[in-house]
Amino acid sequence: MQVWKDYQEKNKERFLNELLDLLRIPSISAKSEHKNDMAKCAEAVKQRLLEAGADKVEIYPTDGLPIVYAEKITDPTKPTVLVYGHYDVQPAEPLELWHSGPFDPVIKDGKIFARGSCDDKGQMYMHVKALETLVKTNTLTSNIKFCIEGEEEVGSPNLGKFVASHKDLLKADCILISDTSMLSLDTPSIDTGVRGLSYIEIEITGPNRDLHSGVYGGAVANPITILSKMIASCHDENNHITIPGFYDDVLNASNEERQLMAEAPFNEKEYADDLGVKELWGEKGFSTNERTGIRPTLELNGIWGGYQGEGAKTVLPSKASAKISARLVPNQSSEKITKLLLDYFKKIAPPYVTVSAFEHHGGEPYLTPIDSKAYKAAAKAIEATFDKKPIPVRGGGSIPICALFEKELGIKIVFMGFGLDSDNLHSPNEKFNLENFYKGIETIPYFHQFFAESE
């Protein structure tokens, strides 16, 4: 709609500057020292929603970090869209790998470099500016609610309780989320699902203290060596996960879905070159896109033990630890897989070490129907601004609250991600293309228009 384009073009620099201000707030939910920054960011999101035209905006405290709720109700009889997003971000480490400060946003080559630029402040803020566009041009034909939380990056431990106790407040006809990606601006896509997550930590203890590696080496098991062997045993020569029962509940993708995924443009060499690897790795019998979408995985997220300071110290460590995550596909249960992992590592530990293992957080996999009114409205909106029909694909990441939302509110979710897989999510030098940011603001109003018409 031309009136939207005109308004957005007139205000695009302000939109960007507002986002940059949000990105300067180090809202890291995983670190307790940033509790004040989290409160500051929640307040900033509240203020921006009020400025955008929301009638009601409140910050709800939880047992952890606050949730920002907002609404713009034009007519209670009209359809209501609940927008979900999060204002918390991942830790920025390793800091030495950033080309600029993670919370000092820099625009270079048409990209915003900052922690949270894509995940999820940049994408969340597209919805705030889409609301403003609709309100200021007097073209909003539906109701819009927002639920913006501050704990997504630590597993949303308090969102479930909030949703369960505020069902009337959050009542809507669909949930709209932009915390995913698309293939590219040339090849737009819509995620039809996200994977679940099981995240654990294990600690291996050998001797009761660090030992001299010359005096005791060869006589006492080294926890780092034992831990490494235990982790290496989790995959076979075909990169298939060997943990008994891991694949029992996997819902295998149909041949039709695999054929549709294969139609998406993909250059394996460019993919590898971008990552700086000579060859790709993964489960035998599946393509790269299938490995990151329709198949479950088990990854080592961190490992440590022994001396890690400057110089040398010949020590046989007392302990070694690792953080391990599994990405899950439909029909797999995070609770079941977490127990499976914890029990497995305790079972395979040799008698000369002891194992301590615990869960960090988890979430369920989620599939959204492509025949729903919300999905059709999203596809139509993308076609309206990209002049191309989007390709349905499965996302490799996890949004733990998806299954929870559907269970508690009884409504379906549609994903409209405008990031790219190459945006360095959770990595140094996270980025978000300006073109993608503005394209999201341009496209989202069409979703609200088409969804209202479908209802």
Side-chain angles (χ1 to χ4, degrees):
M1 198 180 282
Q2 190 61 45
V3 65
W4 296 341
K5 279 191 173 184
D6 292 343
Y7 184 83
Q8 291 160 2
E9 183 62 32
K10 181 180 178 182
N11 293 280
K12 64 185 300 184
E13 287 302 315
R14 175 173 59 82
F15 290 177
L16 175 59
N17 287 331
E18 290 171 0
L19 173 59
L20 297 181
D21 285 342
L22 278 181
L23 295 174
R24 293 185 179 101
I25 305 172
S27 50
I28 304 171
S29 54
K31 295 187 174 184
S32 58
E33 62 261 36
H34 288 283
K35 184 176 181 180
N36 289 339
D37 293 314
M38 295 299 298
K40 179 181 178 181
C41 197
E43 190 62 42
V45 171
K46 173 184 176 179
Q47 187 59 37
R48 295 306 185 198
L49 283 162
L50 285 169
E51 293 169 357
D55 295 324
K56 172 185 175 183
V57 186
E58 290 188 25
I59 296 178
Y60 284 83
T62 72
D63 290 337
L65 298 164
I67 292 170
V68 183
Y69 171 81
E71 63 181 38
K72 179 66 178 180
I73 307 299
T74 59
D75 183 341
T77 65
K78 291 183 178 181
T80 299
V81 175
L82 175 61
V83 175
Y84 166 83
H86 62 94
Y87 64 88
D88 66 320
V89 301
Q90 283 272 317
E93 287 82 357
L95 298 176
E96 67 274 11
L97 297 183
W98 284 81
H99 299 152
S100 54
F103 299 103
D104 183 18
V106 170
I107 298 174
K108 183 180 179 182
D109 299 326
K111 302 172 181 64
I112 311 168
F113 287 89
R115 173 59 85 229
S117 55
C118 181
D119 181 19
D120 179 48
K121 288 181 181 177
Q123 296 209 70
M124 174 270 290
Y125 205 60
M126 297 184 308
H127 289 274
V128 179
K129 296 297 96 178
L131 170 67
E132 178 183 323
T133 298
L134 289 164
V135 171
K136 301 302 183 183
T137 59
N138 198 31
T139 54
L140 180 59
T141 56
S142 63
N143 306 309
I144 304 178
K145 295 180 177 180
F146 288 81
C147 179
I148 312 297
E149 70 156 323
E151 296 183 320
E152 195 274 345
E153 298 293 6
V154 292
S156 304
N158 293 292
L159 186 64
K161 183 178 179 181
F162 175 80
V163 174
S165 59
H166 293 84
K167 290 183 180 181
D168 288 340
L169 183 73
L170 300 173
K171 185 178 180 182
D173 297 290
C174 79
I175 300 170
L176 180 60
I177 298 177
S178 294
D179 195 12
T180 53
S181 61
M182 60 171 47
L183 293 173
S184 70
L185 288 177
D186 293 327
T187 308
S189 60
I190 297 179
D191 278 358
T192 59
V194 291
R195 292 191 289 187
L197 177 68
S198 169
Y199 198 127
I200 69 166
E201 183 171 329
I202 59 175
E203 182 182 77
I204 306 298
T205 303
N208 59 11
R209 63 189 185 277
D210 286 357
L211 303 176
H212 188 295
S213 64
V215 175
Y216 291 95
V220 179
N222 188 314
I224 298 177
T225 303
I226 302 305
L227 176 59
S228 299
K229 287 183 176 181
M230 291 169 65
I231 292 169
S233 74
C234 293
H235 291 87
D236 64 17
E237 67 277 7
N238 294 317
N239 302 324
H240 192 84
I241 297 165
T242 58
I243 300 172
F246 186 85
Y247 293 102
D248 282 359
D249 299 323
V250 168
L251 178 65
N252 291 313
S254 65
N255 289 332
E256 290 77 13
E257 183 175 2
R258 293 183 71 179
Q259 289 171 3
L260 191 60
M261 290 180 68
E263 294 176 6
F266 180 75
N267 186 308
E268 188 169 293
K269 184 179 185 305
E270 289 182 1
Y271 186 90
D273 288 346
D274 176 64
L275 298 174
V277 297
K278 294 181 179 179
E279 213 171 292
L280 299 180
W281 181 97
E283 186 181 2
K284 188 176 181 180
F286 296 92
S287 69
T288 298
N289 285 338
E290 290 173 335
R291 292 167 182 165
T292 60
I294 64 173
R295 297 298 292 168
T297 62
L298 186 71
E299 295 294 345
L300 183 67
N301 302 125
I303 185 168
W304 64 96
Y307 180 67
Q308 299 173 54
E310 184 179 357
K313 182 181 181 183
T314 50
V315 63
L316 192 160
S318 170
K319 299 178 183 293
S321 301
K323 295 180 188 289
I324 300 170
S325 66
R327 298 287 176 168
L328 313 178
V329 296
N331 279 15
Q332 286 186 298
S333 159
S334 67
E335 182 179 355
K336 182 176 180 180
I337 293 297
T338 295
K339 186 177 186 304
L340 195 73
L341 295 178
L342 296 175
D343 290 347
Y344 177 76
F345 283 105
K346 291 175 183 176
K347 181 179 179 180
I348 67 170
Y352 26 85
V353 297
T354 57
V355 176
S356 173
F358 63 92
E359 177 187 8
H360 273 290
H361 60 268
E364 306 312 312
Y366 184 83
L367 278 179
T368 189
I370 62 174
D371 59 353
S372 70
K373 292 179 180 178
Y375 182 90
K376 290 177 180 178
K380 190 176 178 181
I382 288 174
E383 187 175 0
T385 58
F386 286 80
D387 296 321
K388 292 180 181 179
K389 291 184 178 181
I391 296 174
V393 298
R394 289 238 211 131
S398 303
I399 306 178
I401 49 74
C402 289
L404 180 153
F405 267 130
E406 182 168 321
K407 176 185 175 182
E408 296 292 347
L409 301 180
I411 52 179
K412 294 294 184 181
I413 291 169
V414 64
F415 302 102
M416 285 185 70
F418 291 87
L420 303 174
D421 285 339
S422 60
D423 280 337
N424 298 330
L425 309 183
H426 296 199
S427 301
N429 304 306
E430 180 180 347
K431 63 181 177 63
F432 192 27
N433 288 4
L434 287 173
E435 190 175 0
N436 292 60
F437 174 61
Y438 291 127
K439 200 68 174 178
I441 298 171
E442 178 187 354
T443 304
I444 292 167
Y446 281 99
F447 170 84
H448 291 287
Q449 176 185 317
F450 295 145
F451 184 68
E453 292 173 355
S454 71
E455 291 290 313

